[in-house]
Amino acid sequence: MSTPRTALVVGARGGIGGAVARSLLRHGWRVRGLARRPAGDVPGMEWIAGDAMDRAAVVRAAQGVQAVIHAVNPPGYRNWDTLVLPMLDNSMAAALAAGARLVLPGTVYNFGPDAFADPGEDAPQRPLTRKGAIRVEMERRLRDAVPAGLRSLVVRAGDYFGPGAASNWFAQGLVGGRRPVRGLTDPGRPGVGHQWAYLPDVAETIARLLAREDDLDPAARFHLAGHWDADGTEMIAAIRRALGRPSLPVRRFPWWLVSVARPFVPFCREMHEMRYLWRMPLRLTNGKLVRFLGDEPHTPLDVAVAAALGDLKQPLPEQGLCP
């Protein structure tokens, strides 16, 4: 019998980190979870207390692993400009020291409005947003580290939703941060498509790609199709079905309020910068992934939405996405 491979998940308490940890465990991996406040909500994972900003702690935690999953974000998604890149540098140092592949769950934020409807993995990245620029820089650092021996895997996807993830457009935008759900909020422009990514599907894709380690490029990149809401109404309809409330009211998202608040509230400024993703149909296509894996893990929308809603048992922050 072969020895199980081991992965370190940096940011294992987050939605994507927890999902990847669970998927890897199902695939027979040993998994270590690094978090400032370890929690035992992933059965079978070895928890390690540590801060992603502490390079020595990350390197120690990664000793002997074959994969480092970089799934950490600043608390509350604040201070991206000062925390995100140093945390990535620490994970890169850990992966290099261990001879492991570094995995970065990516987003569509890399692409600006000039990317047209269906940018490929190698399409030019000219974001107009702060977070988008940081995402581009993260991926650049991974590619530039190839001559030093770093192997990386970037899996880009649309807006995340699913169990374990509350700080996203699904939970705090559409559902609106209220319990019980009294209505839905639609941030999109009527008739414009939007792309969603169910976290367990993203995680399963990462696990299947890592199972093909010997076939991956040194700086591998793939796009997920996820769930494409062709006209902006399918996700809302699925939420209504899951709640059994076909007449649940829907109101337009108050972008005007975000615009007013953005000079004073940094998060509102970042939200406003991302508005273009709700006003134009930017869609990642999975042709390369399907050619490599044969198919893409895909949970039916109604099943995924029911699971995401069922996980939101506690009241969400009353301020929603933008206080």
Side-chain angles (χ1 to χ4, degrees):
M1 295 180 62
S2 60
T3 302
R5 291 190 291 171
T6 304
L8 171 68
V9 180
V10 183
R13 289 192 62 186
I16 184 61
V20 173
R22 292 182 182 90
S23 185
L24 290 175
L25 286 165
R26 288 194 301 270
H27 281 259
W29 287 67
R30 293 173 179 167
V31 180
R32 302 173 191 164
L34 181 74
R36 290 181 301 157
R37 295 183 298 277
D41 57 351
V42 182
M45 182 159 63
E46 174 192 355
W47 284 99
I48 300 174
D51 194 321
M53 288 293 289
D54 183 345
R55 177 169 299 191
V58 181
V59 171
R60 284 195 303 270
Q63 290 179 357
V65 307
Q66 287 73 52
V68 174
I69 316 300
H70 185 80
V72 63
N73 282 304
Y77 288 84
R78 296 179 176 87
N79 302 318
W80 266 60
D81 55 339
T82 58
L83 298 178
V84 169
L85 293 174
M87 290 192 294
L88 177 66
D89 288 343
N90 292 343
S91 289
M92 291 172 60
L96 277 167
R101 183 175 291 270
L102 191 147
V103 179
L104 177 66
T107 72
V108 71
Y109 298 160
N110 302 50
F111 300 105
D114 67 329
F116 303 106
D118 54 351
E121 282 81 358
D122 299 322
Q125 300 179 33
R126 290 185 285 266
L128 302 180
T129 69
R130 294 170 178 83
K131 282 187 178 178
I134 292 173
R135 282 283 179 179
V136 171
E137 174 61 17
M138 292 172 77
E139 292 195 20
R140 185 195 67 78
R141 293 190 183 193
L142 296 182
R143 292 193 303 272
D144 288 354
V146 169
L150 181 71
R151 306 188 318 279
S152 62
L153 168 63
V154 177
V155 178
R156 303 190 192 116
D159 272 331
Y160 292 157
F161 75 103
S167 297
N168 54 43
W169 273 104
F170 178 92
Q172 293 180 268
L174 291 178
V175 177
R178 294 178 293 273
R179 290 293 176 273
V181 179
R182 296 191 294 269
L184 303 178
T185 303
D186 184 2
R189 174 179 284 176
V192 174
H194 192 77
Q195 193 162 34
W196 298 91
Y198 184 51
L199 286 178
D201 290 342
V202 179
E204 177 66 15
T205 300
I206 289 172
R208 293 188 189 181
L209 288 169
L210 286 175
R212 298 275 305 276
E213 168 62 38
D214 292 342
D215 300 320
L216 291 173
D217 293 334
R221 289 174 291 175
F222 293 92
H223 285 176
L224 269 72
H227 290 278
W228 175 247
D229 184 343
D231 62 0
T233 65
E234 296 176 26
M235 180 60 83
I236 288 173
I239 295 173
R240 283 171 159 172
R241 288 193 297 270
L243 295 174
R245 300 172 63 186
S247 300
L248 188 67
V250 178
R251 68 183 180 95
R252 307 304 304 173
F253 185 81
W255 284 109
W256 66 270
L257 183 59
V258 174
S259 181
V260 170
R262 60 178 170 158
F264 315 104
V265 183
F267 196 27
C268 288
R269 181 183 65 232
E270 293 173 2
M271 284 182 63
H272 194 271
E273 290 181 346
M274 296 298 177
R275 187 180 182 182
Y276 73 95
L277 292 172
W278 293 98
R279 299 172 69 87
M280 60 174 289
L282 200 159
R283 181 182 187 181
L284 304 178
T285 52
N286 65 351
K288 178 181 177 181
L289 178 72
V290 171
R291 289 191 297 272
F292 189 81
L293 288 182
D295 63 359
E296 176 184 321
H298 188 81
T299 302
L301 182 60
D302 281 2
V303 176
V305 167
L309 290 171
D311 185 68
L312 299 176
K313 299 173 184 177
Q314 300 300 318
L316 298 176
E318 284 297 326
Q319 69 268 24
L321 273 171
C322 187

